[in-house]
Amino acid sequence: QAQLVESGGGSVQVGGSLRLACAASEYPLSTKAMGWFRQAPGKEREGVAHINIGGEITKYASSVKGRFTISRDNAKNTLYLQMNSLKQEDTAMYYCAADIRVMSPLSEAAYLYWGRGTQVIVSS
C-alpha cells in the first residue's frame, strides 16, 4: 500500500521536458521533508533532489543541477519535479520519498515513506 503516489512520467525525446508530481493520500506533506530518487536498470538508486518542509532549502545531485527543479505546494499536498533538457541518461524509474526529518538529504536511507515510482524514458 503506497502512501505516496507519483505521476507525470512517460516517454520524451532528448532535450524535452517532463513534470513529475507526488501526492500523499492519507497524510499532509506539510510536515515532511521530501526527496526525489531514481533508479536505472543495473544501477543503484540515487538521490536526485531534496526540499525541506517550508520549501526554502533545496539540494540537487550534480548530474541534474541547472536542469531539474524541485518544488512543493503544501496547500495542494503535492511535490513536483520539473525536468528540462532531458538526456538519455535520465531514463529511470523515479520515486518520491518523505520523512519527518532527514539527516542526509540525498540518501535513500534517510527516508521512511516511498511511492511506487513513475517511469521516465528519454530517447532520440
Side-chain angles (χ1 to χ4, degrees):
Q1 292 276 53
Q3 295 176 304
L4 303 174
V5 181
E6 302 92 340
S7 62
S11 298
V12 65
Q13 192 171 345
V14 169
S17 299
L18 285 173
R19 188 180 72 168
L20 307 184
C22 172
S25 60
E26 299 182 352
Y27 54 81
L29 296 182
S30 59
T31 61
K32 307 291 192 296
M34 306 291 297
W36 284 101
F37 293 78
R38 67 185 182 186
Q39 186 168 24
K43 296 184 178 180
E44 298 295 321
R45 186 178 298 180
E46 63 174 334
V48 174
H50 164 87
I51 189 167
N52 74 330
I53 293 174
E56 303 93 349
I57 302 173
T58 58
K59 291 182 173 60
Y60 298 91
S62 60
S63 60
V64 306
K65 285 182 179 178
R67 300 189 298 118
F68 290 12
T69 302
I70 186 171
S71 63
R72 65 192 302 158
D73 187 338
N74 287 341
K76 295 182 178 180
N77 208 35
T78 305
L79 174 76
Y80 302 97
L81 183 67
Q82 179 67 46
M83 305 185 294
N84 298 325
S85 301
L86 284 163
K87 305 175 180 179
Q88 287 185 332
E89 62 206 54
D90 294 319
T91 295
M93 183 73 74
Y94 283 72
Y95 303 87
C96 67
D99 209 336
I100 57 175
R101 62 189 184 95
V102 176
M103 306 307 295
S104 184
L106 299 181
S107 174
E108 64 174 313
Y111 299 84
L112 281 177
Y113 307 102
W114 294 81
R116 293 173 178 171
T118 185
Q119 182 69 246
V120 171
I121 300 175
V122 185
S123 63
S124 60

